[in-house]
Amino acid sequence: MGSVDMTPLTHVEVDGHPAGVDDLRHLALANDGHLTTMQVRAGRVRGLALHLRRLDRANQELYGTYLDGGLVRDRIRHALATTPAPHGPAESGDATVRTVVFPTGTGSVSILVSIGPPAEPAAGPLRLCSLRYQRPFPHIKHVGSFGQIHFGRLARGRGFDDALLVTGEGLVCETTVANIGFVTAAPARVIWPDGPSLVGVTMALLDERLRPGATAEPVAHQVPAAAAAVTAPDTATIVPAAAAGEERGPLLESRREPVRLADVGHFRAAFVANARGIVPVDRIDTTPVPVNETVLAALRRAYASVPWDEI
């Protein structure tokens, strides 16, 4: 899961001003940069601290310098405020925001912010085609996305919705645009494959909500007390709360462990998760995967309980 995002763009800024040819030349020719993509609603986003930490850590690893989270927020706010209708400040404040950090060739970096229409998860369920491919530097969300685009295109050409990337040894990694999770029957566990992959923000937020004592009650838009860093635990548990009159969800435990392609038919359910949300999977290659609505409802309630952070 990396930089592939086909959301149409309506406004692009670099370092706080509309992007020009000179601003984009290095990025276009060198294809060197890292990024994060978020769904903004009413000027707020889930997991802001995780997005900022992702950018800072990648910047340190790739370019050897810290990235000021306050500056990133300023750039995003400015781009949102100056975006023309229908996604500018006169409208709802809902948008897809993609933030790319790239070197300028002078030892510093520039921050590109693109604004597009808000995106929702696919209706699903999805059909995935397994293909042998591992993203280079899979722990970084970077702009080197040709492989993902190519293998996603191959999967769609074969009648599937996306590719499921697996290692040469048959270990499941991720899709081209999302993490994938599997749910066991008894005990009910969410298994995130530990093949080479990106730890997505939505995946980390779900793990946070699956910690003992966390609540899965949906929350309204909130302003955080602080943008504290959040770490995805190796194991976590929750009993998701149910709405009045709704069946109570199963006890879910979340962990990372190897998942082999040959074993995907043994799970109770499978789903993909990214900034757009959670979508069920009902087929991997020729193997059917059950769509368990009770489990999906529990996962969606857990995700809906994540507070919204003001940018």
Side-chain angles (χ1 to χ4, degrees):
M1 181 179 72
S3 65
V4 179
D5 189 336
M6 300 305 177
T7 303
L9 305 178
T10 60
H11 184 62
V12 181
E13 292 188 356
V14 174
D15 296 333
H17 59 80
V21 174
D22 290 340
D23 297 313
L24 300 176
R25 181 177 287 110
H26 181 84
L27 184 61
L29 296 178
N31 197 35
D32 181 9
H34 61 92
L35 71 145
T36 196
T37 302
M38 58 186 74
Q39 290 299 319
V40 176
R41 300 294 182 269
R44 295 175 172 86
V45 62
R46 289 184 172 115
L48 177 62
L50 291 176
H51 286 287
L52 297 177
R53 188 177 69 176
R54 165 188 283 171
L55 293 175
D56 179 49
R57 287 185 171 180
N59 211 68
Q60 292 184 54
E61 180 173 345
L62 295 176
Y63 310 129
T65 59
Y66 291 96
L67 188 65
D68 183 353
L71 177 61
V72 173
R73 296 174 73 181
D74 287 343
R75 296 290 188 245
I76 294 173
R77 285 194 295 260
H78 186 273
L80 285 169
T82 56
T83 298
H87 300 293
E91 300 299 322
S92 63
D94 298 350
T96 297
V97 175
R98 178 182 169 102
T99 304
V100 182
V101 181
F102 62 96
T104 62
T106 62
S108 59
V109 296
S110 285
I111 300 174
L112 179 151
V113 179
S114 63
I115 308 296
E120 299 298 335
L126 301 180
R127 298 166 297 166
L128 302 179
C129 175
S130 67
L131 292 169
R132 263 63 178 179
Y133 178 69
Q134 293 174 240
R135 293 190 306 110
F137 302 95
H139 62 291
I140 296 176
K141 192 175 181 74
H142 54 75
V143 300
S145 56
F146 173 79
Q148 294 155 260
I149 294 172
H150 176 65
F151 285 106
R153 182 166 49 230
L154 286 179
R156 290 188 295 275
R158 297 176 184 180
F160 293 84
D161 298 298
D162 195 8
L164 178 64
L165 307 181
V166 300
T167 69
E169 294 74 34
L171 290 176
V172 174
C173 299
E174 56 193 349
T175 76
T176 69
V177 295
N179 290 113
I180 185 167
F182 298 89
V183 182
T184 59
R189 290 174 176 164
V190 175
I191 306 297
W192 302 101
D194 69 354
S197 60
L198 181 75
V199 176
V201 169
T202 301
M203 171 184 168
L205 290 173
L206 280 171
D207 269 339
E208 171 71 9
R209 305 315 292 176
L210 298 179
R211 289 180 179 179
T215 177
E217 294 289 357
V219 296
H221 293 333
Q222 296 180 10
V223 179
V230 180
T231 302
D234 293 330
T235 304
T237 308
I238 193 171
V239 181
E246 185 178 2
E247 180 184 354
R248 189 176 182 84
L251 178 68
L252 293 178
E253 181 182 279
S254 173
R255 63 176 59 185
R256 295 197 75 180
E257 60 184 53
V259 174
R260 302 193 64 82
L261 181 63
D263 297 332
V264 296
H266 300 158
F267 289 97
R268 183 182 185 186
F271 63 95
V272 299
N274 62 15
R276 297 188 180 193
I278 297 168
V279 183
V281 173
D282 73 350
R283 179 183 165 193
I284 298 176
D285 297 330
T286 59
T287 302
V289 181
V291 175
N292 189 305
E293 295 296 343
T294 302
V295 168
L296 287 168
L299 290 168
R300 286 169 174 153
R301 281 196 300 272
Y303 188 51
S305 73
V306 175
W308 290 81
D309 304 336
E310 187 172 31
I311 297 175

